[in-house]
Amino acid sequence: MEQEKIGTAQGKEETAILTVNGKTIGLPVITGTEGEKAIDISRLRQLTGYITLDLGYGNTGSCTSAITFMDGEKGILRYRGIPVGQLAEHSTFVETAYLLINGRLPIQRELQAFSVMLNDHSLVHEDMKFFFQNYPRATHPMGILSSMVTALRSFYPELETLSHTENVNMTMTRLLSKLRTMAAVSYKISRGHTPEYPRPDLSYCANFLNMMFNSPVKPYVIDDVLVKALNTFWILHADHEQNCSTSVVRMVGSARVNLYAAISAGMAALWGPLHGGANQKVVEMLEKIQAAGGDAKPFIARAKDKNDPFRLMGFGHRVYKTYDPRAKIMKNICHDVLARLKTDDPLLPIAMELEETARKDLYFIDHNLYPNVDFYSGIVLRALGIPTNMFTVMFAIGRLPGWIAQWKEDHDDPGWRLHRPRQIYVGNTVRDYVPMSQRTEAGAEPGKAAAPRSGRKPAP
Ligand code: SDX
């Protein structure tokens, strides 16, 4: 058999050899800075006529990226090389946002200028309040904010007088500052209260808490421990490499759509209960366990039942096959905030007992299911006074700098390509149009079923 070594890219020290359909080719292997390896299949179809199929992309890299590194087996998470635990301890959310977007920590002058920009853009157009006021009251805050982010572009279009880069930077700053304000405005209006304006004398996180909870009849007292907890909460959520919503932001952005629209799409993806919507589902699950007298065993039994679509919310992860490093820190914040407020949350002991029980259960051990970022985050948010239906909004505000950094990295990549995956078609082969007079019930031949997926019924 003629060995045809094609596709060995210049300068790549490793080559994967593939033999398919009687042809042998060499595909270049890419090695990341942390030693991760990928087979570059960019020329696979051109060389063999074959594509790959990877349902859910569990084995497929969509890009190379210099923003966030995760090691799912070791439970490592670093933003631009800095361990998330160090940022949680020493940094602020604004500084971490700067790091993610610009690739390095700011010097004092740069951080000050960034904070001033965020403050200057913290107001939202007064006309936007009519949008919030006229939304059906029962609308989920994620639905409101996802559409309001797109609406921002109508109020703040790109300016002809600015360069493309200046317009992008302005849009990034506006989004970082205004999403936080819009979330608080939405909350206040949902309660029939007058929105609270941002204050120039408060930090990013303190401003949010004040906009949410300050009231003419009960002034909100800024508590440094709670502000620190919110900074840490948002730092822990700030980026997570190519998760579902970030991949959506990159894909939508690859069509060269504006940043507002790409972020709005990312918010829609994050809303899903298997993704960012899980933090709300965790608290709802813990409340059900509480209502059932605190006995978690029936819930664990359901989670293990293949015929039951129920999943233990806040458990499991596509990448982490050990404890999510963020969940460990989040668990500590629960204790810090509850101790500061001199209060308890009955859901915390239920969550801790659930974790302990699940972690001893062979099903969870064999499936490498550990608490993820969402398992304890809801308890922190409850302690801060955030309503349950705003939990995913809080995740979105935290993830925004990551989405922006990832969109920018794709946008600035000289090798940029429109994201357009292929497929394997499993439907009807060619057939003719049938006139109505000749159609019969039996003739309503369905398309062939897609290749059956392994595992249980899809999660709810
Ligand atoms: C986030 O990707 C990211 O980085 C996301 C995120 C981020 O910061 O952006 O970290 C944020 O989304 C965290 C995840 C929040 N979601 C939840 O907590 C929902 C509950 N978890 C699951 O639905 C699940 O674990 C996923 C969706 C998170 C991951 O699922 P995968 O990787 O697609 O794995 P899978 O569904 O193929 O499950 C593998 C096996 C299956 O059993 P088998 O059929 O192989 O026997 O594990 C089981 C699953 O049934 N399993 C669970 C489970 N999670 C997986 N069984 C019970 N309870 C669970 N939670």
Side-chain angles (χ1 to χ4, degrees):
M1 178 197 320
E2 184 203 349
Q3 169 124 356
E4 199 180 354
K5 273 194 90 172
I6 309 170
T8 305
Q10 300 311 320
K12 305 267 187 221
E13 73 281 4
E14 200 179 335
T15 302
I17 304 299
L18 176 69
T19 297
V20 65
N21 200 16
K23 188 175 183 182
T24 297
I25 62 165
L27 294 168
V29 171
I30 291 180
T31 304
T33 45
E34 291 290 343
E36 297 165 300
K37 299 222 179 248
I39 299 170
D40 181 345
I41 58 169
S42 310
R43 300 180 65 214
L44 177 67
R45 190 168 188 276
Q46 178 192 341
L47 296 173
T48 67
Y50 283 56
I51 64 168
T52 58
L53 181 64
D54 182 19
L55 302 183
Y57 305 119
N59 304 281
T60 299
S62 59
C63 61
T64 57
S65 177
I67 298 170
T68 291
F69 171 69
M70 289 170 65
D71 182 319
E73 282 68 35
K74 296 178 185 155
I76 293 173
L77 175 60
R78 299 184 199 134
Y79 298 158
R80 299 290 188 178
I82 302 176
V84 75
Q86 291 185 27
L87 291 166
E89 187 178 349
H90 303 298
S91 189
T92 64
F93 177 58
V94 167
E95 183 180 71
T96 298
Y98 187 101
L99 168 70
L100 285 167
I101 293 169
N102 297 287
R104 60 177 175 78
L105 290 169
I107 57 174
Q108 188 57 48
R109 157 173 69 76
E110 291 168 325
L111 182 60
Q112 180 59 24
F114 187 49
S115 299
V116 167
M117 282 272 281
L118 291 174
N119 175 68
D120 292 351
H121 291 283
S122 53
L123 290 171
V124 291
H125 196 291
E126 289 292 321
D127 288 355
M128 292 193 91
K129 292 191 181 100
F130 298 118
F131 287 48
F132 290 105
Q133 281 156 357
N134 290 290
Y135 246 100
R137 277 286 176 264
T139 307
H140 192 284
M142 281 299 280
I144 297 174
L145 279 176
S146 175
S147 55
M148 296 304 275
V149 164
T150 304
L152 275 177
R153 186 166 190 259
S154 307
F155 287 97
Y156 305 99
E158 285 83 2
L159 301 177
E160 299 290 332
T161 53
L162 296 181
S163 71
H164 175 68
T165 302
E166 287 169 327
N167 268 312
V168 167
N169 289 339
M170 184 71 81
T171 302
M172 290 193 289
T173 308
R174 281 175 169 148
L175 274 165
L176 284 169
S177 196
K178 295 182 192 299
L179 181 61
R180 167 202 47 168
T181 303
M182 291 196 297
V185 168
S186 179
Y187 172 66
K188 282 287 195 187
I189 289 176
S190 74
R191 303 196 63 207
H193 295 171
T194 304
E196 192 73 29
Y197 284 101
R199 285 173 33 185
D201 61 317
L202 294 180
S203 69
Y204 186 97
C205 291
N207 236 326
F208 174 76
L209 291 171
N210 192 63
M211 286 192 277
M212 283 286 288
F213 303 120
N214 193 51
S215 140
V217 295
K218 190 177 181 191
Y220 180 72
V221 177
I222 304 292
D223 180 312
D224 290 344
V225 170
L226 304 191
V227 171
K228 171 66 179 168
L230 183 55
N231 265 295
T232 306
F233 179 93
W234 274 337
I235 286 170
L236 294 177
H237 286 83
D239 193 54
H240 217 230
E241 56 136 276
Q242 304 312 313
N243 60 84
C244 178
S245 53
T246 299
S247 299
V248 163
V249 169
R250 277 186 172 251
M251 175 169 266
V252 169
S254 77
R256 282 296 186 254
V257 79
N258 63 81
L259 178 56
Y260 292 112
I263 296 301
S264 175
M267 288 188 72
L270 187 75
W271 192 0
L274 295 189
H275 189 16
N279 53 18
Q280 176 175 341
K281 295 296 180 190
V282 168
V283 164
E284 289 167 359
M285 175 184 72
L286 294 174
E287 284 171 337
K288 284 182 188 146
I289 294 174
Q290 182 188 29
D295 181 9
K297 290 188 185 56
F299 292 82
I300 289 184
R302 284 192 59 198
K304 293 161 62 176
D305 179 354
K306 276 218 168 306
N307 299 312
D308 188 332
F310 174 78
R311 291 281 178 90
L312 204 62
M313 302 315 277
F315 258 75
H317 199 274
R318 174 63 58 80
V319 175
Y320 290 126
K321 299 310 170 191
T322 184
Y323 216 104
D324 183 332
R326 302 168 297 176
K328 285 180 185 167
I329 300 169
M330 201 66 82
K331 190 175 178 180
N332 294 336
I333 304 175
C334 289
H335 294 296
D336 296 346
V337 171
L338 292 172
R340 178 67 167 197
L341 295 170
K342 296 184 177 60
T343 181
D344 290 320
D345 182 338
L347 298 189
L348 181 56
I350 291 175
M352 292 171 70
E353 189 187 333
L354 177 57
E355 174 193 345
E356 193 182 334
T357 309
R359 290 300 309 129
K360 288 175 188 161
D361 186 295
L362 274 180
Y363 173 89
F364 290 86
I365 294 169
D366 293 346
H367 284 84
N368 294 309
L369 302 176
Y370 292 79
N372 58 49
V373 67
D374 295 309
F375 191 65
Y376 288 104
S377 62
I379 295 172
V380 174
L381 295 175
R382 277 161 56 99
L384 293 175
I386 307 291
T388 306
N389 72 353
M390 274 191 70
F391 284 8
T392 309
V393 166
M394 295 299 285
F395 191 143
I397 296 170
R399 184 53 50 87
L400 183 58
W403 284 333
I404 289 173
Q406 300 269 353
W407 174 90
K408 188 172 181 297
E409 184 175 67
D410 206 64
H411 184 276
D412 295 347
D413 180 355
W416 161 79
R417 294 195 74 198
L418 175 69
H419 295 201
R420 203 279 184 212
R422 304 303 293 255
Q423 63 160 28
I424 293 295
Y425 176 71
V426 293
N428 292 92
T429 49
V430 64
R431 57 181 174 160
D432 295 324
Y433 179 81
V434 177
M436 183 59 79
S437 58
Q438 297 170 27
R439 292 177 202 167
T440 61
E441 285 300 325
E445 177 200 335
K448 292 196 186 76
R453 298 185 177 197
S454 63
R456 68 173 73 186
K457 279 188 269 178

